[in-house]
Amino acid sequence: MKKNYLMSLIVALVSMINYAHAALIGVSANITTNTTWTSNNTYLLQGKIFVKGGAVLTIQPGTIIVGENATQGSLIITRGSQIIANGTAASPIVFTSEQAPGARSYGDWGGLIILGAAPVNQAGGVGIIEGGFTAPDGEYGGNNPSDNSGILRYVRIEFAGIAFQPNSEINGLTCGGVGSGTTIDYVMVSFCGDDSYEFFGGTVNAKHLIAYRGLDDDFDTDNGYSGKIQFAISLRDPNAADVSGSHSFESDNDATGSTNSPVTKAIFSNVTSCGPYATTSTVVNANYKAGARLRRSTQEKIYNSLFMGWNYGLWVDGTNCENNANAGDLQWQNILTSGIPNVPIHTQNPLSPFNTTTWVATGGFNNADYANNTDLQLTNPFNLPSPNFVPQAASPALTAGSFVNSNLSDPFFEVVNYAGAIGSTDWTKCWTNYDCVNTDYQGLYTNPGIAINNAPTVTIAFTGTASFCNSKLLTSTTSSVTGYQWRKTNVDINSANNATYSATSSGTYSLVVTNAAGCTKQSNNRVLTLKPNPATPIIAAHCNTGVNYLGTTAAYSAYLWKRSGFNVARWNYPQYCPNTCR
């Protein structure tokens, strides 16, 4: 029996195996102390989970959080508490549906709600957030404009949004009274059953937002929201719209249309909004409306943006908003509108003396209307499974930006020459996912196959799809691996640019792969200890359906597996499952 040879190989291999497949951790109790969610686990929100009492919830890059459908799982960050969800482009944090790939849909779970202590225009300066919440946990607003509710960076929110009751919904990302000390950057909300983003008052600023195939509105602002947003994208499914009427922008001062202070006066710049009409003859859901409906006394301001393929471009709705437009408190400037199937291009209220189309054409506003979406020459913006919003070389959008308006003088705004969300550099690459309906998130906890040939060198082999621990799939049928770089102790190994690498010394190895889109991902480290033996068996390590397997091709007559130097009871098989699998 060659048990000694096999055990030597196991010792060499044991440090290379990620024994623990990501565990599913049910979260059913409120979080009242500082807590960290780690990327080696998946977290299931069971019901409405409140982070409260000043607690800080930290979520590691690459962590997956799923909302339970039956309990409308939701995560609520209450006033005075924080969420630190600081993902990376290589390892975004993902909030998604618990449903199986292919079975996910709008409103599978509640959503992410952040409540802060910045000013709102509700009675007494405090409101109760929509979605069936009560005081004190549902309260938002206060007198601290710079309030800090934490960080959302490289975060995806998928299949959220529940209409708890009419006019009281949970959105994809809901911000109530969130202050300017909070960071929101690189966030993607997909397939939301209500508004992708809604800002109820507050002063929080945001950049690099994506609203993908939402049901109701993309960006909803009300209750005195006065933050600034730059670089935002929306793309709509022509077949999916809400019975309330779907817009890209909807803005109110409040639900009654009062002029209560602080007034809703958000400033948006560099938006690319792609509505349901890829062409003017596209058949779309009858509930689609205008690209932007500004109503109920809002003073919203939108600059340097593209509104493509909506039923109408702008709708200035109501006497107070018309007066705000004439007074310069509501603005729409350096906007390119295209592919509008209706005349007039911009809609207005019947019998109103205010003509939206005439106002939009005011000299100095520098707005322009184009007959076809193709006139704006974006690469492929209406391709639902694989959109590309980058302007082509001759696109009029590339020179349509202007920041001379004093409302854009805040240092928050990055001064660029283009209108729309993207210039020549595509910031959406590598962290977004346009196929989240079918993504096998459990498969994201596997590592590249690693084979150990113990006589006399170690061969590390990349096999199969490049899906790494706790991140989105790097490769797919449309985005294959185009480059390899093996590393030792995080230093590139010269000429190690193939799918396999033969190591001649012990060390810590990893593999960086690059896909056709130019995205890179580095595997987990693998510690190799070279132990020469007279035999030459091959032991392969891989994950399959949630279980790590070790298998050998050597013809041994008996097997005895050890872990941390101890015998593993009952495991006298040619394969060993660290977790129960028999």
Side-chain angles (χ1 to χ4, degrees):
M1 184 173 72
K2 296 184 173 60
K3 179 170 61 178
N4 59 324
Y5 297 148
L6 182 59
M7 287 192 299
S8 296
L9 290 167
I10 299 309
V11 171
L13 185 62
V14 106
S15 62
M16 299 178 58
I17 305 305
N18 181 12
Y19 275 107
H21 179 77
L24 182 64
I25 306 296
V27 182
S28 58
N30 293 332
I31 297 170
T32 57
T33 59
N34 292 352
T35 300
T36 298
W37 288 352
T38 57
S39 59
N40 62 318
N41 295 318
T42 298
Y43 295 86
L44 175 66
L45 301 172
Q46 298 173 295
K48 295 178 174 66
I49 306 302
F50 295 86
V51 180
K52 55 191 296 185
V56 178
L57 173 62
T58 300
I59 305 177
Q60 289 183 348
T63 303
I64 308 293
I65 303 101
V66 296
E68 189 172 64
N69 181 266
T71 60
Q72 300 181 348
S74 303
L75 182 63
I76 304 96
I77 314 302
T78 65
R79 290 194 299 175
S81 296
Q82 289 186 327
I83 180 172
I84 307 298
N86 195 11
T88 67
S91 295
I93 294 165
V94 181
F95 292 82
T96 192
S97 167
E98 68 167 333
Q99 303 298 332
R104 302 171 186 138
S105 190
Y106 298 92
D108 276 347
W109 62 290
L112 175 59
I113 300 173
I114 304 177
L115 306 177
V120 302
N121 63 16
Q122 301 297 282
V126 175
I128 302 294
I129 203 66
E130 292 182 359
F133 297 96
T134 58
D137 291 337
E139 291 181 329
Y140 69 96
N143 56 10
N144 182 8
S146 60
D147 190 38
N148 184 353
S149 294
I151 299 172
L152 288 186
R153 182 183 285 119
Y154 289 110
V155 171
R156 298 204 308 265
I157 303 170
E158 302 166 351
F159 309 104
I162 294 174
F164 180 79
Q165 57 191 28
N167 299 314
S168 184
E169 302 91 2
I170 300 177
N171 306 288
L173 175 60
T174 301
C175 293
V178 178
S180 61
T182 308
T183 298
I184 299 179
D185 199 7
Y186 296 101
V187 177
M188 180 180 191
V189 177
S190 302
F191 292 97
C192 183
D194 196 63
D195 299 331
S196 294
Y197 301 85
E198 185 156 10
F199 298 86
F200 294 90
T203 55
V204 65
N205 304 316
K207 283 186 177 179
H208 305 107
L209 305 183
I210 301 174
Y212 177 62
R213 299 177 75 167
L215 196 63
D216 195 2
D217 306 316
D218 299 315
F219 306 101
D220 196 334
T221 55
D222 41 36
N223 291 3
Y225 174 59
S226 61
K228 295 172 281 291
I229 295 177
Q230 187 179 24
F231 308 126
I233 292 171
S234 74
L235 176 59
R236 302 302 294 249
D237 184 334
N239 299 311
D242 190 71
V243 293
S244 66
S246 295
H247 312 83
S248 190
F249 281 65
E250 185 175 82
S251 183
D252 310 331
N253 190 47
D254 60 22
T256 67
S258 78
T259 57
N260 289 347
S261 180
V263 174
T264 299
K265 52 182 178 180
I267 301 175
F268 284 81
S269 183
N270 297 98
V271 177
T272 296
S273 176
C274 300
Y277 288 93
T279 70
T280 54
S281 60
T282 302
V283 177
V284 309
N285 188 300
N287 291 314
Y288 273 111
K289 305 300 179 183
R293 185 182 187 185
L294 309 184
R295 63 180 187 176
R296 297 176 179 169
S297 305
T298 185
Q299 296 182 8
E300 193 110 308
K301 300 169 180 64
I302 305 174
Y303 306 101
N304 301 320
S305 297
L306 313 178
F307 284 82
M308 307 170 65
W310 286 92
N311 296 48
Y312 298 95
L314 173 64
W315 183 1
V316 178
D317 186 1
T319 301
N320 284 352
C321 284
E322 293 170 354
N323 292 337
N324 289 341
N326 286 327
D329 295 323
L330 182 154
Q331 296 190 0
W332 174 274
Q333 296 180 13
N334 294 93
I335 309 293
L336 308 186
T337 308
S338 67
I340 305 298
N342 294 309
V343 177
I345 291 176
H346 305 282
T347 192
Q348 60 194 61
N349 295 327
L351 306 180
S352 171
F354 181 87
N355 187 301
T356 306
T357 299
T358 300
W359 177 79
V360 165
T362 299
F365 287 4
N366 298 318
N367 300 312
D369 299 320
Y370 293 81
N372 303 299
N373 293 320
T374 53
D375 295 335
L376 293 188
Q377 299 187 52
L378 303 194
T379 301
N380 199 1
F382 290 91
N383 184 335
L384 288 179
S386 185
N388 188 328
F389 306 98
V390 176
Q392 300 177 56
S395 170
L398 286 174
T399 56
S402 173
F403 285 77
V404 297
N405 191 299
S406 61
N407 290 318
L408 298 174
S409 62
D410 189 286
F412 166 82
F413 289 108
E414 180 182 341
V415 177
V416 296
N417 293 325
Y418 55 86
I422 296 178
S424 57
T425 301
D426 188 356
W427 52 262
T428 70
K429 291 173 59 176
C430 305
W431 65 277
T432 54
N433 185 5
Y434 297 106
D435 192 27
C436 52
V437 171
N438 299 305
T439 298
D440 180 4
Y441 283 109
Q442 290 305 307
L444 298 179
Y445 301 102
T446 65
N447 290 299
I450 297 178
I452 308 301
N453 184 334
N454 219 36
T457 63
V458 177
T459 299
I460 314 172
F462 171 85
T463 60
T465 302
S467 52
F468 291 93
C469 287
N470 313 318
S471 182
K472 69 181 288 292
L473 285 173
L474 181 66
T475 61
S476 66
T477 55
T478 59
S479 186
S480 58
V481 172
T482 59
Y484 306 89
Q485 177 61 63
W486 289 96
R487 312 191 82 198
K488 183 177 181 181
T489 318
N490 285 324
V491 177
D492 290 351
I493 303 170
N494 291 335
S495 302
N497 307 119
N498 298 309
T500 62
Y501 173 67
S502 294
T504 57
S505 63
S506 300
T508 300
Y509 294 87
S510 60
L511 169 65
V512 177
V513 296
T514 303
N515 71 2
C519 306
T520 61
K521 180 64 180 176
Q522 184 168 344
S523 71
N524 291 351
N525 287 330
R526 290 294 176 265
V527 179
L528 301 185
T529 302
L530 194 61
K531 291 183 178 293
N533 288 297
T536 59
I538 296 177
I539 300 177
H542 63 94
C543 295
N544 183 21
T545 62
V547 181
N548 296 315
Y549 290 96
L550 307 184
T552 177
T553 59
Y556 289 105
S557 59
Y559 305 87
L560 177 60
W561 290 89
K562 284 180 175 283
R563 181 174 181 181
S564 300
F566 295 93
N567 293 346
V568 181
R570 299 184 298 106
W571 283 102
N572 305 113
Y573 308 100
Q575 291 183 336
Y576 166 57
C577 298
N579 302 310
T580 301
C581 66
R582 289 179 181 268

